[in-house]
């Protein structure tokens, strides 16, 4: 976090050369990632080191899958935690480890999670030298697979089950960051999506998806992004600023619709979050919105032209999940289904001739309880999850009081 409590942004957003943009379809995902990162990071990391980091972090694919004429899904769930957050977490963990100097104090990452962030951060930092991760998750509020991902790691990852809500977990972590004694003893850092090192790698798959659509002979590309904290769509807009010629962006939310409301009324009114079926997007005051506002500070009209917001309640979400299954025999998680619905509504609204790509942010197996039985029976649980079931779960149970949490940290230093 910068001293002024704002968020870091690049001083200047580089525009990528036309030759690269026009030939995107000749590059692989890691090649694209390297080129984009090199332009954003400049000389901060020597090329050979950056290449190593990229090839180690982005070691899974992100395919677009055609579901009908001009409707594609971008599958971002092929990483170890089965959610798009793997892109950010894997890149960030390696960057943090890279900048840790020899002999320096271990980096202690504290992270509160409602489910997906914790798994990605745990698996991203797993085995990364001189780092330790402590994950706080709310008891009874994460899915079975998410709990496995949080609690079966061992080594430099430890899990704490808090008898409380996600907000309680978040409050404990925040208080730890301001506690004098803890900061004297440990080198604490956060791993949530306000970290710029999580945002940068998320630009990579926009370029790569665009490249794949070019290969299919498509043009006028539109991205529909299921949004919570607005990091994901923020990365898409950053890619646009770097020169990716995207036609339009759709910000798809559940009933936590602060941004869609802003885009249609011009009034930005954060509100307390409401629980929904797409719980990774239950955010009433999106932390990355200020970054988007900053990118368009001289051109709010431009932002409103480029981005349209849509929001849906749980009933509509469920209906979308059923539609997708019945029409395509494809299973989409609730977050993904919202992005699909928004894309369909936008295309219907006189935007024929565009090619829509909606982002699938998580594998449906992570949210088995969200589906009616006839669909959840069709979800194929990936092999890496089955392997977790054989491993012992290790976690500590704590209450939501700060003193107990602090004592645990100090006693287990
Ligand atoms: C985190 C998450 C989101 C929201 O992404 P933001 O970058 O916070 O907008 C959407 N879907 C899933 C499955 C997630 O885990």
């Amino acid at each position: 976090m910068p001293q002024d409590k704002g968020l870091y942004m690049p001083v200047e957003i580089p525009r990528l050369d036309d030759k690269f943009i026009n030939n995107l379809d000749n590059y692989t995902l890691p090649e694209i990632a390297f080129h984009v990162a090199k332009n954003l990071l400049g000389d901060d990391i020597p090329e050979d080191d950056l290449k190593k980091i990229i090839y180690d972090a982005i070691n899974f694919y992100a395919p677009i899958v055609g579901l009908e004429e001009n409707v594609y899904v971008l599958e971002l769930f092929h990483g170890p935690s089965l959610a798009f957050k793997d892109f950010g977490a894997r890149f960030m963990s390696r960057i943090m480890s890279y900048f840790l100097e020899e002999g320096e104090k271990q980096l202690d990452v504290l992270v509160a999670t409602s489910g997906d962030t914790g798994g990605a951060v745990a698996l991203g930092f797993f085995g990364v030298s001189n780092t330790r991760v402590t994950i706080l998750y709310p008891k009874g509020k994460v899915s079975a697979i998410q709990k496995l991902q949080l609690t079966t790691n061992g080594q430099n990852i430890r899990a704490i089950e808090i008898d409380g809500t996600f907000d309680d977990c978040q409050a404990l972590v925040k208080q730890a960051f301001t506690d004098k004694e803890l900061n004297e003893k440990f080198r604490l850092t956060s791993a949530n999506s306000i970290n710029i090192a999580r945002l940068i790698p998320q630009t990579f798959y926009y370029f790569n998806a665009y490249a794949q659509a070019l290969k299919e002979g498509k043009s006028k590309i539109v991205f529909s992004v299921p949004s919570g904290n607005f990091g994901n769509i923020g990365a898409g807009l950053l890619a646009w600023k770097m020169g990716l010629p995207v036609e339009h962006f759709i910000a798809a939310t559940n009933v936590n619709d602060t941004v869609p409301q802003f885009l249609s009324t011009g009034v930005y009114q954060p509100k307390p979050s409401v629980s929904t079926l797409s719980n990774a997007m239950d955010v009433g005051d999106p932390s990355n919105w200020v970054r988007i506002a900053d990118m368009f500070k001289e051109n709010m009209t431009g932002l409103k032209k480029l981005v349209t917001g849509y929001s849906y309640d749980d009933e509509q979400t469920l209906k979308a999940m059923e539609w997708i299954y019945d029409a395509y025999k494809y299973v989409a998680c609730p977050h993904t289904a919202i992005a699909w619905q928004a894309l369909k509504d936008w295309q219907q609204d006189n935007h024929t001739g565009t090619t829509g790509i909606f982002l699938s942010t998580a594998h449906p197996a992570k949210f088995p309880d969200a589906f009616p039985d006839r669909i959840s029976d069709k979800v194929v649980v990936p092999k890496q999850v089955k392997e977790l079931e054989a491993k012992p779960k290790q976690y500590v149970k704590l209450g939501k009081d700060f003193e107990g949490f602090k004592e645990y940290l100090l006693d287990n230093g």
Side-chain angles (χ1 to χ4, degrees):
M1 286 270 273
Q3 296 287 317
D4 67 1
K5 303 235 161 76
L7 299 185
Y8 282 112
M9 279 297 277
V11 173
E12 204 179 320
I13 297 174
R15 218 184 146 81
L16 302 183
D17 51 296
D18 288 345
K19 192 168 146 256
F20 174 72
I21 298 281
N22 295 334
N23 289 295
L24 269 179
D25 49 341
N26 292 323
Y27 297 99
T28 63
L29 172 59
E31 284 168 351
I32 289 175
F34 175 66
H35 190 85
V36 175
K38 197 177 64 176
N39 274 275
L40 270 172
L41 299 176
D43 299 329
D44 288 342
I45 301 177
E47 284 197 9
D48 286 348
D49 294 337
L50 182 61
K51 200 167 258 176
K52 248 201 258 159
I53 290 171
I54 298 264
Y55 277 73
D56 186 39
I58 315 296
N59 63 349
F60 49 94
Y61 58 116
I64 62 167
V65 177
L67 296 177
E68 62 177 276
E69 182 76 30
N70 294 333
V71 175
Y72 289 81
V73 55
L74 169 57
E75 294 186 344
L76 299 173
F77 53 71
H78 295 287
S81 85
L82 308 176
F84 81 100
K85 292 189 170 74
D86 285 327
F87 282 89
R90 288 177 69 79
F91 183 79
M92 175 182 64
S93 59
R94 280 151 186 81
I95 294 278
M96 282 184 170
S97 168
Y98 179 80
F99 283 112
L100 276 177
E101 313 245 324
E102 196 90 15
E104 267 190 85
K105 207 182 203 177
Q106 162 182 275
L107 191 64
D108 255 297
V109 180
L110 300 184
V111 57
T113 184
S114 59
D116 275 350
T117 298
V121 169
L123 293 162
F125 279 91
F126 183 74
V128 173
S129 63
N130 216 13
T131 68
R132 175 171 62 179
V133 176
T134 307
I135 306 161
L136 285 72
Y137 67 90
K139 180 180 174 183
K141 301 244 165 49
V142 300
S143 80
I145 287 181
Q146 287 172 333
K147 184 162 174 177
L148 282 173
Q149 290 176 341
L150 298 173
T151 60
T152 57
N153 295 292
Q155 284 197 42
N156 60 330
I157 313 293
R158 43 186 197 181
I160 304 178
E161 182 173 274
I162 298 293
D163 194 0
T165 61
F166 166 69
D167 290 338
D168 294 323
C169 297
Q170 180 103 306
L172 288 173
V173 167
K174 278 196 177 153
Q175 197 171 344
F177 287 133
T178 60
D179 186 272
K180 194 160 163 273
E181 204 178 340
L182 289 176
N183 280 284
E184 273 164 13
K185 183 153 183 202
F186 304 111
R187 182 174 182 182
L188 299 177
T189 188
S190 135
N192 61 24
S193 67
I194 57 173
N195 193 313
I196 187 78
R198 268 184 66 174
L199 206 72
I200 289 168
Q202 293 185 37
T203 59
F204 304 160
Y205 49 73
Y206 285 94
F207 287 96
N208 185 238
Y210 191 95
Q212 293 176 70
L214 286 184
K215 267 188 204 156
E216 305 248 333
K218 300 293 178 186
S219 57
K220 289 182 138 190
I221 311 295
V222 174
F223 284 107
S224 179
V225 188
S227 299
N229 267 317
F230 281 73
N232 200 358
I233 196 169
L237 293 167
L238 185 56
W240 179 83
K241 276 242 155 185
M242 294 176 82
L244 187 68
V246 177
E247 177 94 0
H248 202 75
F249 286 91
I250 299 166
T253 72
N254 56 33
V255 292
N256 295 285
D257 62 352
T258 303
V259 172
Q261 282 295 336
F262 166 75
L263 290 169
S264 66
T265 65
V267 181
Y268 191 82
Q269 184 60 62
K271 37 193 175 185
S273 66
V274 177
S275 292
T276 74
L277 211 52
S278 47
N279 63 3
M281 314 199 303
D282 294 349
V283 181
D285 188 3
S287 57
N288 268 294
W289 178 252
V290 288
R291 285 205 164 106
I292 296 174
D294 181 69
M295 279 190 267
F296 289 86
K297 58 180 178 284
E298 273 121 40
N299 188 11
M300 264 297 156
T301 336
L303 175 66
K304 285 184 185 165
K305 249 196 220 149
L306 183 64
V307 186
T308 306
Y310 286 90
S311 67
Y312 301 95
D313 62 21
D314 278 355
E315 199 184 326
Q316 292 168 312
T317 306
L318 202 56
K319 216 178 240 167
M321 288 154 69
E322 298 196 275
W323 258 90
I324 293 168
Y325 180 70
D326 292 334
Y328 312 132
K329 290 286 169 283
Y330 186 85
V331 187
C333 88
H335 315 80
T336 305
I338 286 179
W340 172 82
Q341 186 66 60
L343 174 64
K344 293 297 274 187
D345 287 346
W346 187 81
Q347 282 185 325
Q348 194 117 76
D349 196 15
N350 257 330
H351 296 103
T352 45
T354 53
T355 299
I357 301 177
F358 65 101
L359 276 56
S360 179
T361 42
H363 193 287
K366 294 192 94 172
F367 306 96
D369 300 336
F371 297 94
D373 288 347
R374 73 181 175 99
I375 300 179
S376 58
D377 290 348
K378 298 291 187 295
V379 176
V380 181
V381 177
K383 182 173 105 264
Q384 66 257 48
V385 171
K386 292 223 178 89
E387 287 165 7
L388 293 185
E389 280 162 8
K391 291 190 179 177
K393 286 195 199 122
Q394 294 171 322
Y395 56 97
V396 175
K397 294 180 184 190
L398 291 179
K400 59 183 176 190
D401 61 292
F402 182 68
E403 285 316 309
F405 176 51
K406 179 172 172 178
E407 194 178 295
Y408 168 82
L409 290 177
L410 291 172
D411 289 352
N412 293 278

